[in-house]
Amino acid sequence: MYALIDCNCFYVSCERVFRPDLRQQPVVVLSNNDGCVISRSDEAKAIGVKMGEPFFKMKELVRNGKVTAFSSNYTLYGDLSDRVMKTLASIVPDIEVYSIDEAFLHLNESHTDLETLGHTIRNTVKQHTGIPVGVGIAPTKTLAKLANRLSKKTGGVHIIYPDNIQEKLNACALQDVWGIGRRNAKRLQANYVDTIEQFVNQREEWVRQHFSVIGLRTYKELKGIPCIDMEDELTEKKSICTSRSFGELQNTFASIQEAIATHAASCAEKLRKQKCAAAGMYVSLSKSRFTDQEGDKYFGTYIKLPQATNNTATLIQYASKGLELLFKKDVYYKKCGVTVIDIVPEEKIQLNLFEPQKNARLHALEDTIDKLNQKLGKNVLRQAIQGNDNNTWKLRCENMSPNYTTRIGEILVVHVGNK
């Protein structure tokens, strides 16, 4: 049996952990640059706030105190996600972290009382982290996804047993099935298949003829035949991209270079965390689609590095060269990014006779900087070319909550008794 654990309204739930006064209140979390709604509480849904709704359309609700809005605080969300996953692993060690707010658990023969286990998972995660979760348990990962969706209507835990699969199939819409979605649902409906039950009642040859291997795998999983194995380890990334829209349009080389340097430094840190290095990079710039500037709106350049590296200074140096090739005066830019590609493990770097090799002291320095930034806050220690915190290119985040769990100066202070 498999269990899918899904955090309820995860970003909103993270904010409410440290703001208990907002429980039962309409709350939303906004995308980068405070653009649109990417997470909303049930109370926000009830008053008509839609997913993806532009923030400017609901500013009046925020001003009137009817909705509380937060800027995205991914540092906080990532740390709380890590705590949730560690709590789950302490209950069921065989875990696959599927996303920032979802994880699969592989249950073995010792887990006999599944109902009790489901409520134990919910209560333990809530007690340890403050995050509410839903638990779906079923014979396959696809059915566990389906069970998790049904758990929202059954007190947070829902179990699909092997002998009651058939009666659960039509409890959800065809497009809600993991591996089908809206696009494939339309294809099925064009062939007069409108429900999950109708889909699983098709012949296997028909499914193989009309859909890919993924479709056939979904078909078998819905029948209770496990086809999707647990992934014990995260696969190494083949490319790493860091890009952001500017808080306001930029037209000076210096300000955009600070942004490019910051993105390159972020890529370098991620490479070191993965114990890999990159042999190439792609630097990109974008103009706003909503201006009358002529020419292409998006353009970039590929740079081949002399040797694969994860050194911050080296990646910043070549990213800046890429920017020099792209930047044009009197043009207003909306976004920039750095993507490192041609990634290889550190131990497989092809050395270059004419390039200096990273020595032990430089490696120790980078390791120390990474640890200090992890402990004290992102970019507390940085290259001078990255500028300071008062940059006009920084994202708009006027409603950002403190980093309660990762920055020592922002930890909650609780006063007990008289001050």
Side-chain angles (χ1 to χ4, degrees), residues 191-303:
N191 286 278
Y192 306 102
V193 178
D194 298 311
T195 66
I196 302 174
E197 186 177 9
Q198 289 175 346
F199 176 60
V200 299
N201 287 337
Q202 299 296 320
R203 292 179 295 107
E204 184 173 321
E205 292 77 12
W206 184 90
V207 176
R208 186 183 290 109
Q209 180 183 353
H210 288 80
F211 294 92
S212 64
V213 174
I214 295 175
L216 182 60
R217 188 171 62 185
T218 300
Y219 168 81
K220 289 184 176 181
E221 287 253 324
L222 288 170
K223 283 178 168 287
I225 305 170
C227 298
I228 306 174
D229 295 329
M230 294 285 286
E231 296 182 9
D232 298 329
E233 297 180 1
L234 293 175
T235 56
E236 292 181 348
K237 296 179 180 179
K238 296 181 180 180
S239 65
I240 296 174
C241 176
T242 303
S243 64
R244 296 287 186 276
S245 295
F246 302 131
E248 55 188 65
L249 295 178
Q250 300 293 315
N251 69 336
T252 63
F253 182 85
S255 62
I256 298 176
Q257 186 180 36
E258 288 182 359
I260 286 288
T262 300
H263 298 337
S266 178
C267 289
E269 184 181 354
K270 293 174 183 177
L271 283 169
R272 291 193 292 271
K273 187 175 182 180
Q274 190 174 296
K275 298 188 182 302
C276 290
M281 67 164 55
Y282 187 81
V283 181
S284 62
L285 276 178
S286 300
K287 294 188 289 188
S288 174
R289 293 176 296 165
F290 306 106
T291 63
D292 56 1
Q293 299 178 102
E294 296 181 354
D296 295 334
K297 301 299 182 184
Y298 176 87
F299 39 96
T301 184
Y302 169 76
I303 299 172

Side-chain angles (χ1 to χ4, degrees), residues 232-416:
D232 298 329
E233 297 180 1
L234 293 175
T235 56
E236 292 181 348
K237 296 179 180 179
K238 296 181 180 180
S239 65
I240 296 174
C241 176
T242 303
S243 64
R244 296 287 186 276
S245 295
F246 302 131
E248 55 188 65
L249 295 178
Q250 300 293 315
N251 69 336
T252 63
F253 182 85
S255 62
I256 298 176
Q257 186 180 36
E258 288 182 359
I260 286 288
T262 300
H263 298 337
S266 178
C267 289
E269 184 181 354
K270 293 174 183 177
L271 283 169
R272 291 193 292 271
K273 187 175 182 180
Q274 190 174 296
K275 298 188 182 302
C276 290
M281 67 164 55
Y282 187 81
V283 181
S284 62
L285 276 178
S286 300
K287 294 188 289 188
S288 174
R289 293 176 296 165
F290 306 106
T291 63
D292 56 1
Q293 299 178 102
E294 296 181 354
D296 295 334
K297 301 299 182 184
Y298 176 87
F299 39 96
T301 184
Y302 169 76
I303 299 172
K304 177 70 176 176
L305 304 180
Q307 178 180 304
T309 183
N310 57 20
N311 176 255
T312 299
T314 302
L315 290 178
I316 288 177
Q317 175 189 352
Y318 284 97
S320 296
K321 289 182 178 180
L323 177 62
E324 290 174 2
L325 297 174
L326 298 174
F327 181 80
K328 295 179 181 178
K329 292 182 179 180
D330 301 322
V331 174
Y332 286 85
Y333 296 98
K334 175 63 178 174
K335 183 179 181 180
C336 72
V338 174
T339 304
V340 290
I341 52 182
D342 303 329
I343 294 177
V344 296
E346 283 183 325
E347 64 272 13
K348 295 183 179 180
I349 295 176
Q350 180 67 49
L351 301 181
N352 188 319
L353 181 63
F354 303 102
E355 288 294 317
Q357 306 307 312
K358 183 192 290 188
N359 56 43
R361 291 182 63 187
L362 182 56
H363 181 81
L365 174 63
E366 291 174 338
D367 186 55
T368 301
I369 291 174
D370 290 342
K371 288 179 179 178
L372 286 172
N373 283 335
Q374 187 176 8
K375 181 178 180 180
L376 301 177
K378 190 173 182 179
N379 286 333
V380 169
L381 290 178
R382 69 191 107 176
Q383 301 277 332
I385 196 173
Q386 294 177 242
N388 54 37
D389 290 328
N390 300 317
N391 296 315
T392 57
W393 58 266
K394 293 283 188 180
L395 289 171
R396 284 195 303 272
C397 47
E398 299 169 357
N399 306 286
M400 178 80 79
S401 57
N403 292 311
Y404 298 106
T405 62
T406 57
R407 186 164 290 183
I408 196 165
E410 298 178 9
I411 292 176
L412 284 176
V413 177
V414 179
H415 297 282
V416 180

Side-chain angles (χ1 to χ4, degrees), residues 94-207:
D94 194 353
I95 181 173
E96 175 192 332
V97 178
Y98 183 66
S99 68
I100 192 172
D101 64 344
E102 288 181 286
F104 284 104
L105 305 178
H106 192 195
L107 312 181
N108 55 38
E109 294 79 7
S110 65
H111 301 113
T112 54
D113 190 345
L114 299 179
E115 191 76 33
T116 300
L117 175 64
H119 287 287
T120 298
I121 290 171
R122 269 177 56 83
N123 296 336
T124 305
V125 172
K126 179 70 173 177
Q127 181 182 9
H128 288 192
T129 67
I131 303 295
V133 300
V135 181
I137 301 175
T140 69
K141 292 171 80 171
T142 300
L143 287 172
K145 274 267 195 180
L146 203 66
N148 187 278
R149 180 176 286 273
L150 296 174
S151 72
K152 303 181 189 305
K153 303 176 183 178
T154 58
V157 176
H158 195 90
I159 303 171
I160 297 177
Y161 293 97
D163 57 358
N164 73 344
I165 292 175
Q166 196 69 25
E167 65 185 70
K168 300 286 185 179
L169 289 179
N170 288 336
C172 292
L174 187 60
Q175 68 180 31
D176 294 333
V177 174
W178 187 42
I180 293 182
R182 293 182 182 178
R183 191 173 181 178
N184 284 329
K186 288 181 179 179
R187 290 179 61 192
L188 286 167
Q189 288 161 1
N191 286 278
Y192 306 102
V193 178
D194 298 311
T195 66
I196 302 174
E197 186 177 9
Q198 289 175 346
F199 176 60
V200 299
N201 287 337
Q202 299 296 320
R203 292 179 295 107
E204 184 173 321
E205 292 77 12
W206 184 90
V207 176

Side-chain angles (χ1 to χ4, degrees), residues 2-14:
Y2 296 86
L4 176 69
I5 318 302
D6 181 21
C7 301
N8 300 337
C9 309
F10 181 58
Y11 293 168
V12 167
S13 295
C14 289

